[in-house]
């Protein structure tokens, strides 16, 4: 067989990827990623059926899905092991009875987002950077999400609704970077993103736009050529922060999506959350960090779980987290070890939990 240039393995020829043919703009035709998003599993019974899981999980899954609905893309389900109740990907998305536990200290807004809201959709906690809640929608619902109770309904939806947030950014010339978060900003179409980027690029003191997204991991179809064009087509330096927690997530189409981002020229970092029963062991974390490095993604943060109501069963003691990081340092290149941090309301940045 003739050897094809490496790029062809990474970037499919345009004609072979229908998503790449979609016209930009808000009237863009449904491309592959939108159908994948629409086809996400939203019924706990469907998830349990697809994975041939025991029936005794059903009542709790249905009940806890009332607290925070279940949403899981099929690409992500395809990376789970059928029949395995303890699968680390399943644990991140399966609603459990434990979500009804309300131990003291676990709150609906554990990081005090409410106090940091300086305009509708704008959170400002740290010097030099501000965060836009670009949308309330996500492609997956992570059971441990610290924004699982966030009042998204109060935030802007249409582009015009962003005017006050954009004005606030314009008036503060100490800001050099805007983070798009949510929700997941990459559920917005390319046209919407392009318009938002254009509005940001028009603010002279901004230099960078950072996108915090789990889509390259859970819905890899989203990383299309037109998306790369949007990311690279602004004067602002783009930075992508993806969110994978376990090496089993870095399989199949996810690996290709990360390579497309990295080789397309978008600096890409990963943040993970340390979670009991998901990645609180040395092999899982080492596999995650090394798997990321192997596709050109740098491990950025390992977050201590934010103490959000409904997620207490995921908490890992900080002493255990420090021990795990110490083990990683013994076996991985320095650049492959993430910063282990916690978010403390009122702090001037994420708080390191272990010295460098
Ligand atoms: C975490 C966070 C940031 C980004 O912090 P970095 O340390 O720069 O990654 C910015 N704004 C808000 C509100 C945050 O919560
Ligand atoms: S993708 Fe991010 S914002 Fe959305 S549920 Fe998961 S952790 Fe929360």
């Amino acid at each position: 067989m003739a050897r094809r240039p490496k790029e062809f393995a990474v970037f499919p020829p345009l004609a072979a990827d229908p998503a790449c043919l979609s016209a930009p703009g808000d009237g863009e035709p449904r491309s592959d990623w939108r159908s994948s998003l629409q086809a996400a599993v939203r019924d706990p019974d469907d998830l349990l059926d697809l994975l041939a899981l025991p029936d005794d999980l059903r009542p709790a899954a249905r009940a806890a899905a009332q607290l925070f609905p279940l949403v899981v893309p099929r690409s992500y389900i395809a990376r789970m092991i059928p029949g395995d109740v303890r699968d680390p990907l399943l644990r991140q998305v399966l609603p459990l009875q434990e979500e009804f536990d309300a131990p003291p200290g676990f709150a609906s807004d554990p990081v005090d987002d409410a106090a940091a809201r300086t305009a509708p959709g704008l959170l400002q906690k740290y010097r030099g950077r501000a965060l836009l809640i670009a949308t309330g929608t996500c492609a997956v619902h992570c059971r441990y999400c610290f924004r699982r109770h966030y009042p998204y309904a109060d935030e802007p939806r249409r582009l015009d609704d962003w005017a006050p947030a954009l004005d606030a950014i314009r008036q503060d010339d100490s800001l050099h970077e805007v983070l798009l978060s949510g929700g997941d900003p990459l559920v917005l179409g390319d046209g919407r993103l392009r318009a938002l980027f254009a509005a940001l690029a028009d603010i002279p003191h901004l230099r960078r736009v950072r996108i915090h997204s789990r889509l390259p991991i859970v819905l890899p179809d989203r990383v299309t050529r037109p998306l790369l064009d949007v990311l690279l087509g602004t004067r602002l330096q783009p930075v992508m922060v993806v969110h994978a927690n376990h090496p089993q997530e870095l399989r199949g189409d996810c690996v290709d999506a990360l390579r497309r981002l990295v080789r397309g020229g978008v600096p890409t970092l990963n943040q993970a959350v340390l979670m009991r029963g998901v990645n609180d062991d040395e092999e899982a974390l080492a596999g995650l960090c090394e798997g990321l490095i192997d596709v050109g993604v740098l491990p950025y943060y390992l977050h201590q779980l934010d103490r959000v109501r409904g997620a207490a069963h995921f908490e890992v003691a900080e002493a255990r987290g420090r021990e795990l990081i110490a083990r990683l340092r013994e076996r991985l290149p320095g650049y492959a070890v993430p910063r282990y941090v916690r978010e403390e309301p009122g702090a001037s940045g994420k708080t390191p939990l272990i010295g460098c």
Side-chain angles (χ1 to χ4, degrees):
M1 204 179 80
R3 268 189 57 159
R4 290 201 299 171
K6 186 109 186 160
E7 290 85 328
F8 280 99
V10 177
F11 294 106
L14 269 184
D17 182 355
C20 294
L21 297 176
S22 63
D26 272 342
E28 67 195 55
R30 287 206 170 273
S31 60
D32 270 356
W33 71 270
R34 286 190 187 275
S35 338
S36 305
L37 187 57
Q38 208 165 40
V41 170
R42 289 159 202 274
D43 179 337
D45 287 301
D46 290 348
L47 177 66
L48 296 175
D49 288 344
L50 280 167
L51 292 165
L53 288 165
D55 281 339
D56 58 6
L57 295 170
R58 286 175 202 269
R62 288 178 198 144
Q66 303 292 317
L67 298 175
F68 183 47
L70 175 140
V71 181
V72 200
R74 288 172 194 268
S75 153
Y76 196 64
I77 298 173
R79 287 171 256 161
M80 298 177 188
I81 314 284
D84 185 359
V85 179
R86 289 155 46 116
D87 183 275
L89 280 55
L90 177 72
R91 284 192 64 85
Q92 296 178 51
V93 299
L94 179 67
L96 296 177
Q97 191 62 38
E98 284 89 329
E99 294 183 28
F100 289 95
D101 297 346
F106 283 78
S108 60
D109 179 10
V111 295
D112 208 2
D113 275 343
R117 192 170 179 271
T118 52
L122 186 68
L123 301 182
Q124 201 173 340
K125 292 185 181 173
Y126 309 145
R127 191 167 156 189
R129 51 231 198 266
L131 184 153
L132 275 181
I133 302 283
T135 168
T137 308
C138 293
V140 64
H141 280 182
C142 311
R143 308 313 298 178
Y144 54 87
C145 180
F146 72 100
R147 291 211 181 106
R148 55 181 280 164
H149 308 286
Y150 193 90
Y152 288 118
D154 303 343
E155 299 300 24
R157 277 151 193 268
R158 293 159 352 109
L159 219 47
D160 302 347
D161 300 338
W162 289 110
L166 292 168
D167 279 348
I169 297 169
R170 188 180 289 279
Q171 274 156 32
D172 181 353
D173 65 9
S174 73
L175 291 175
H176 293 161
E177 177 169 337
V178 166
L179 281 74
L180 304 184
S181 181
D184 198 310
L186 291 188
V187 302
L188 300 177
D190 295 337
R192 277 287 200 98
L193 285 174
R194 191 181 293 104
L196 193 50
F197 282 20
L200 293 171
D202 192 45
I203 300 176
H205 47 267
L206 287 185
R207 302 184 198 163
R208 299 177 296 275
V209 61
R210 192 195 315 181
I211 296 103
H212 278 217
S213 176
R214 193 144 154 73
L215 264 77
I217 307 299
V218 302
L219 198 95
D221 298 4
R222 179 67 187 97
V223 185
T224 59
R225 186 67 245 176
L227 175 66
L228 288 174
D229 291 343
V230 172
L231 295 174
L232 297 163
T234 150
R235 73 164 181 86
L236 302 170
Q237 171 65 46
V239 177
M240 180 70 67
V241 181
V242 299
H243 174 182
N245 298 308
H246 191 277
Q248 201 176 307
E249 290 170 56
L250 307 177
R251 288 197 182 157
D253 48 356
C254 170
V255 167
D256 295 337
L258 294 174
R259 288 215 167 108
R260 285 199 293 277
L261 276 172
V262 171
R263 295 187 187 183
V266 181
T268 304
L269 310 169
N270 183 68
Q271 54 178 348
V273 177
L274 181 61
M275 280 177 281
R276 182 141 62 94
V278 174
N279 57 9
D280 58 337
D281 73 87
E282 184 184 335
E283 291 312 316
L285 285 179
L288 172 67
C289 295
E290 216 161 12
L292 289 164
I293 291 296
D294 288 345
V295 293
V297 176
L298 292 172
Y300 179 37
Y301 281 145
L302 176 67
H303 292 274
Q304 178 67 11
L305 182 86
D306 293 314
R307 303 189 97 192
V308 67
R309 191 159 26 82
H313 55 291
F314 284 117
E315 191 168 50
V316 176
E318 283 178 20
R320 174 71 181 143
R322 286 192 196 95
E323 186 185 309
L324 287 165
I325 292 288
R327 299 265 176 79
L328 296 184
R329 283 186 181 162
E330 284 166 13
R331 62 187 277 184
L332 295 178
Y335 62 82
V337 181
R339 276 158 263 195
Y340 180 38
V341 295
R342 180 178 61 206
E343 179 162 348
E344 282 173 0
S348 60
K350 308 286 186 255
T351 306
L353 292 175
I354 181 169
C356 296

